[in-house]
Structures are given as structure tokens and as C-alpha cells.
Amino acid sequence: MRTGRRTKRWFWRWRSNPLRRRIDVLEAWLVLAVCALVAVGGTLAGAVAALAADRVFARQRAERTAVDAVLLTNTPAAASNSYRTRAEVRWTGYDGSVHTGTTLVGSGKNAGARVTIWTNAQGSLVTAPPSRETAAVEAGLLGTGAALAVTGLVVGAWGVTRWCLDRRRIGEWGSEWDLVGPQWGHKTS
């Protein structure tokens, strides 16, 4: 059974206390600043990164166009249908000109088969843009990564600052003990 009063007090560094030092008050304000930076800065960085990534993916979906092409070479068969291999394809551009290039296509296709490729506004081969669902997941992951990076930087900076404060505090304790310590000692002989 517990008896006695609770000795731990919230916000003790801000309360009037004869043992409170200026460095304790400074540390209390720094803890508050770190919490605010993690909450606000991490959230803001995550939101900005996610929105920027989402804009990039939306621009890719708008700029890239699916085009029908003809496979010029056979592709080797694979055990999995999801396996893709490089093959040469031919397609007709927007201006009616014929283009050839190398891109990734599904395995096990014969020359002359129709495949879908993606081109940009200049008619060059590009990768397929991410779907809305994939783009949303990637934007979320990038936003989370940015938020965690900001949080890691803030917490790391706080760790270095705390180390410096502790070194200073230990130095102050040492100099105070040099003044008080001899008064506590007594001679035995």
C-alpha cells in the first residue's frame, strides 16, 4: 500500500523552486519547442511532400498517352505472366510518322502482336504513369517519410542540445561542489 505524497510534479521547471536553475528553465522551453516542431513541422513537411508528389503523378498521368504498337521481335516465354522483357516495337506518332524503340513488354509474345506503350508529348517512349491508387499510396509514403525525416532531425538536434546542456550542468555542479564540498569534510586526526 502506498502512503505519502506524490513527489513528481508536472511543469516543475516553470514553478518557483529554490533548486531551479536558469538552465532548467531553458531546457523546459526547449522541450516545448521540440514538441511543437515535431507536431507542426513534421505534419507540415509530410503534407507538403505528399501534395507535391501527388501533383507530379497527376502531371505524369496528364502528359503521358497510351499508344498501340506492333512488336517487332519475339519475347521469350517465362514461368510468370508478370515477367516483362525488353523488346523492339513500332508505333505511329500523332503526326503520322513511324517510330521504333525498345521498351518493356510482357513475356511470351510473338512478333507482330499488338502491345500498349506509353509516349510523352514529344512522342518519346516513357514508362506508364502510376494509377490514381498507386499514386495516392506513393504520395502517402513520401509524405510519411518527409514527416519522419523532419522528426528525426528535430529529435537528433534535441539530443545534441541536451548533451551540451548536461555537460554544462555537470560543470556547474562541479564548480558548486568545489565551493561547498570542503565545508562538509572533517578531519579525523
Side-chain angles (χ1 to χ4, degrees):
M1 179 176 189
R2 289 176 52 179
T3 60
R5 290 182 34 197
R6 180 176 164 219
T7 58
K8 186 174 182 177
R9 300 220 179 223
W10 289 94
F11 306 112
W12 68 268
R13 287 188 171 103
W14 280 290
R15 294 174 190 244
S16 181
N17 181 341
L19 299 177
R20 183 184 71 182
R21 293 166 296 200
R22 285 185 13 225
I23 199 164
D24 295 330
V25 175
L26 174 65
E27 184 179 11
W29 283 107
L30 287 174
V31 166
L32 187 64
V34 164
C35 290
L37 280 173
V38 165
V40 175
T43 302
L44 188 63
V48 167
L51 287 174
D54 197 40
R55 267 188 252 129
V56 168
F57 297 142
R59 190 176 72 234
Q60 286 178 353
R61 283 191 302 275
E63 291 175 350
R64 297 178 183 182
T65 306
V67 175
D68 286 331
V70 176
L71 192 60
L72 298 179
T73 57
N74 293 335
T75 59
S80 171
N81 289 341
S82 64
Y83 180 74
R84 297 172 59 90
T85 184
R86 296 183 68 77
E88 195 163 346
V89 293
R90 180 180 63 233
W91 72 97
T92 304
Y94 298 114
D95 57 358
S97 61
V98 176
H99 301 278
T100 59
T102 304
T103 188
L104 291 174
V105 296
S107 61
K109 297 190 183 259
N110 294 325
R114 292 240 175 240
V115 294
T116 302
I117 61 168
W118 291 86
T119 61
N120 59 13
Q122 293 78 28
S124 302
L125 286 172
V126 292
T127 58
S131 67
R132 290 187 190 279
E133 294 80 18
T134 303
V137 169
E138 287 184 22
L141 289 173
L142 289 170
T144 302
L148 289 175
V150 167
T151 300
L153 285 172
V154 170
V155 170
W158 166 241
V160 170
T161 304
R162 179 76 189 265
W163 179 77
C164 292
L165 289 174
D166 285 345
R167 301 253 321 157
R168 183 173 172 187
R169 193 177 292 125
I170 289 169
E172 288 177 1
W173 285 340
S175 62
E176 289 173 7
W177 182 253
D178 288 341
L179 295 174
V180 175
Q183 296 174 5
W184 284 20
H186 64 280
K187 296 182 180 178
T188 56
S189 55

